[in-house]
C-alpha cells in the first residue's frame, strides 16, 4: 500500500468513529430528553385521570342540588313502556296534563299530580275484559299523592272511581297494567288496613282502561271526573269519616283544558253544580266581602257574598231540572259555632224572598254539596253555602232589578234537632 492509500484508509476509519460517536450522543440526548419529560407526562397523566372524577363529582353535586322532578313525564314513559310489554300492545300518548289539583280534608290531602291519556291498540286478548271485551282502546294513567298533615293516624281507602257525562258505569283501576308495587291501591290496601300514619305521604298510580267504543264517547264529552273519598278515623266505621268529598276534573285535550281554566278563573262557589260538574255556569252578578253578621242563639252567621249564575245542565243532569236553562243563586256564609255540639250543614234550611217580598222559595237541597257527617264542629267555624233555583225568564223580566232578602236558620245538630230554639237570621242581599 502506498502512502496515499494509507492516509485515505486512516481518514475513513476516523470518520466512521466520529459518526458512531455522534449517533450514540443523539440517542443519549433523546433518552435524556425523554427522561426529563417523564415527570411532566406523569403530571399530565394524573390530571387526565383526575378530570373525569372531578366532572363526576360536579355532576353528582348538581344532581343533589336539583329539585325532584315534578313533571312526571319520565315516570309516565316508564309506565307506558311497562304497559306495552305486559299487554303486547302498541301505546301512543294522546294527551298529557301536569297541572295539579288538590283537595284538603281537615289535614288529609289528596292531590292529582298529573295524568296522561294513552291510546293502547292491538294488545293481547287476555286484557280485553276491562276494555269492554275489546283489544283496542286507551288508558288514563293518573298519579296521586295522599298526605296526612295531622298528628293522628287515619285510614284512607283510595276508591277513586272515574266517570263522565253519559257513562253507564264507573271506571276503576286495573291492577295488571302497571307495576303493582307502584299503584296507590297497593300502597293503601286491606293488607295494611288503609293506614295513613301521622305525617306520612304516599304517591302512587291508577290506570283506568277504556274500550275502543267507549273512547269515542269519552273524547266527544271531552273530560272525565274522579270523586275524592273522605278519610276515616276508624277503618270499620264509616260514620267516622271527616272532611268533605271532592272531585278532580280531567280534560282530555288542550281545548277542554283551556275551557276548564277559564271556568276556574271565574271563581264559582263550590256548590254541587260546580263541584260535580253538573253543567255550565256563566256569572250574571256577584258581590264579595259583605261581612254582615247576625247572632242565631249561640251561633254567629256572617254573610260573605253571593253569586247569580246562568246555569245550563248537562245531558245527564237535565232531567232533574224543569228547564234547559235556569238561574242559580249561591250564597256564602261563615258560621261561628258557639255550641258544645256540632252543627249539621245539611240540616240548616233557608228561605229567599223575591219581587220585593211578594214571592218566596226554599233553598235547593239537591244542589248543596253536603251529606250526613258534614258539620261545623263545636266551638269552631266553617263555610256554609245555600243555593236557590230560580226560573230564568222570571229572573230576567221581574226579579233581577228588585230586592232579594234571605232568612237562614234554625241551627240543627247531627240528628236534625233544633238547638237554636227556633232562632233565625235575616239578611238583605241587594
Amino acid at each position: 500500500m502506498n502512502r496515499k492509500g494509507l492516509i485515505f484508509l486512516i481518514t475513513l476509519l476516523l470518520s466512521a468513529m466520529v459518526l458512531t460517536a455522534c449517533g450514540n450522543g443523539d440517542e443519549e440526548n433523546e433518552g435524556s430528553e425523554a427522561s426529563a419529560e417523564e415527570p411532566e407526562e406523569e403530571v399530565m397523566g394524573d390530571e387526565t385521570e383526575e378530570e373525569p372524577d372531578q366532572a363526576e363529582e360536579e355532576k353528582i353535586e348538581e344532581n343533589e342540588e336539583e329539585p325532584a322532578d315534578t313533571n312526571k313525564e319520565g315516570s309516565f314513559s316508564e309506565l307506558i313502556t311497562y304497559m306495552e310489554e305486559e299487554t303486547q300492545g302498541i301505546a301512543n300518548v294522546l294527551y298529557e296534563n301536569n297541572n295539579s289539583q288538590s283537595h284538603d280534608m281537615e289535614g288529609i290531602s289528596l292531590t292529582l299530580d298529573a295524568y296522561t291519556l294513552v291510546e293502547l291498540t292491538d294488545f293481547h286478548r287476555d286484557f280485553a275484559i276491562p276494555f269492554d271485551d275489546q283489544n283496542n282502546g286507551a288508558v288514563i294513567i293518573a298519579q296521586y299523592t295522599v298526605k296526612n298533615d295531622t298528628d293522628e293516624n287515619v285510614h284512607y281507602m283510595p276508591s277513586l272511581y272515574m266517570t263522565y257525562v253519559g257513562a253507564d258505569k264507573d271506571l276503576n283501576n286495573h291492577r295488571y297494567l302497571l307495576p303493582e308495587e307502584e299503584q296507590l291501591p297497593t300502597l293503601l290496601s286491606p293488607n295494611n288496613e288503609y293506614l295513613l300514619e301521622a305525617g306520612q305521604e304516599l304517591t302512587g298510580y291508577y290506570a283506568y282502561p277504556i274500550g275502543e267504543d267507549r273512547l269515542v264517547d269519552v273524547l266527544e264529552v271531552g273530560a272525565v271526573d274522579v270523586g275524592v273519598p273522605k278519610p276515616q278515623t276508624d277503618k270499620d266505621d264509616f260514620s267516622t269519616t271527616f272532611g268533605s268529598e271532592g272531585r278532580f276534573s280531567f280534560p282530555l285535550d288542550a281545548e277542554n283544558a283551556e275551557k276548564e281554566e277559564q271556568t276556574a278563573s271565574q271563581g264559582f262557589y263550590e256548590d254541587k253544580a260546580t263541584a260535580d260538574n253538573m253543567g255550565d255556569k256563566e256569572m250574571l252578578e256577584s258581590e264579595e266581602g259583605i261581612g254582615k253578621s247576625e247572632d242565631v242563639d249561640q251561633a254567629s252567621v256572617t254573610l260573605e257574598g253571593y253569586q247569580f249564575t246562568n246555569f245550563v245542565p248537562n245531558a245527564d243532569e237535565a232531567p232533574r231540572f224543569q228547564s234547559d236553562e235556569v238561574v242559580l243563586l249561591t250564597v256564602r256564609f261563615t258560621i261561628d259555632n258557639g255550641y258544645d255540639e256540632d252543627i249539621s250543614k245539611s240540616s240548616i234550611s233557608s228561605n229567599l224572598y223575591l219581587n220585593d217580598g211578594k214571592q218566596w222559595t226554599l233553598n235547593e237541597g239537591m244542589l248543596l254539596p253536603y251529606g250526613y257527617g258534614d258539620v261545623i264542629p263545636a266551638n269552631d267555624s266553617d263555610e256554609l253555602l245555600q243555593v236557590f233555583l230560580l226560573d230564568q225568564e222570571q229572573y230576567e223580566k221581574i226579579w233581577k232589578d228588585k230586592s232579594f232578602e234571605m232568612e237562614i236558620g234554625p241551627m240543627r245538630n247531627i240528628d236534625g234537632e233544633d238547638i237554636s230554639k227556633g232562632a233565625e237570621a235575616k239578611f238583605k242581599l241587594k
Side-chain angles (χ1 to χ4, degrees), residues 162-205:
M162 179 175 283
T163 189
Y164 58 94
V165 176
D168 56 3
K169 71 172 186 177
D170 289 340
L171 308 179
N172 198 12
N173 182 61
H174 184 52
R175 61 185 294 187
Y176 297 112
L177 294 175
L178 304 178
E180 193 165 356
E181 67 277 7
E182 295 188 40
Q183 298 177 37
L184 191 59
T186 301
L187 300 175
L188 289 168
S189 70
N191 293 335
N192 55 29
E193 299 182 338
Y194 307 105
L195 180 64
L196 185 65
E197 297 179 352
Q200 187 177 17
E201 178 177 320
L202 295 172
T203 297
Y205 296 91

Side-chain angles (χ1 to χ4, degrees), residues 124-139:
H124 197 287
R125 290 286 179 180
D126 286 350
F127 292 86
I129 292 177
F131 290 87
D132 300 327
D133 290 325
Q134 297 176 309
N135 73 322
N136 290 297
V139 179

Side-chain angles (χ1 to χ4, degrees), residues 201-355:
E201 178 177 320
L202 295 172
T203 297
Y205 296 91
Y206 246 70
Y208 301 94
I210 305 171
E212 185 176 19
D213 294 341
R214 186 180 299 276
L215 179 61
V216 175
D217 296 335
V218 168
L219 291 178
E220 185 176 349
V221 173
V224 293
D225 295 325
V226 169
V228 180
K230 297 186 289 186
Q232 298 171 218
T233 56
D234 184 341
K235 67 179 180 65
D236 297 318
D237 186 356
F238 286 101
S239 68
T240 65
T241 60
F242 61 93
S244 60
E245 294 179 346
R247 185 165 292 273
F248 295 141
S249 179
F250 292 62
L252 299 178
D253 55 40
E255 181 181 349
N256 281 282
E258 183 178 358
K259 178 181 176 182
E260 188 87 15
E261 289 177 7
Q262 290 175 348
T263 299
S265 67
Q266 296 187 63
F268 295 124
Y269 292 155
E270 288 285 319
D271 53 27
K272 200 170 182 66
T274 298
D276 287 3
N277 194 24
M278 296 173 67
D280 295 325
K281 275 186 175 183
E282 178 187 355
M283 192 75 73
L284 298 175
E285 183 181 353
S286 66
E287 185 173 354
E288 301 294 334
I290 298 175
K292 294 181 180 178
S293 298
E294 296 286 343
D295 289 336
V296 178
D297 196 39
Q298 297 180 43
S300 177
V301 181
T302 302
L303 172 63
E304 303 289 0
Y306 61 83
Q307 295 179 346
F308 288 92
T309 56
N310 194 72
F311 178 67
V312 179
N314 59 42
D316 274 3
E317 303 296 337
R320 304 173 65 181
F321 296 84
Q322 293 182 347
S323 303
D324 295 335
E325 190 172 348
V326 297
V327 172
L328 300 182
L329 168 60
T330 307
V331 188
R332 185 168 70 91
F333 296 94
T334 296
I335 308 291
D336 290 305
N337 182 3
Y339 295 98
D340 291 330
E341 58 181 315
D342 299 341
I343 294 175
S344 170
K345 289 186 175 183
S346 60
S347 296
I348 298 176
S349 59
S350 56
N351 300 327
L352 179 68
Y353 296 92
L354 324 113
N355 194 15

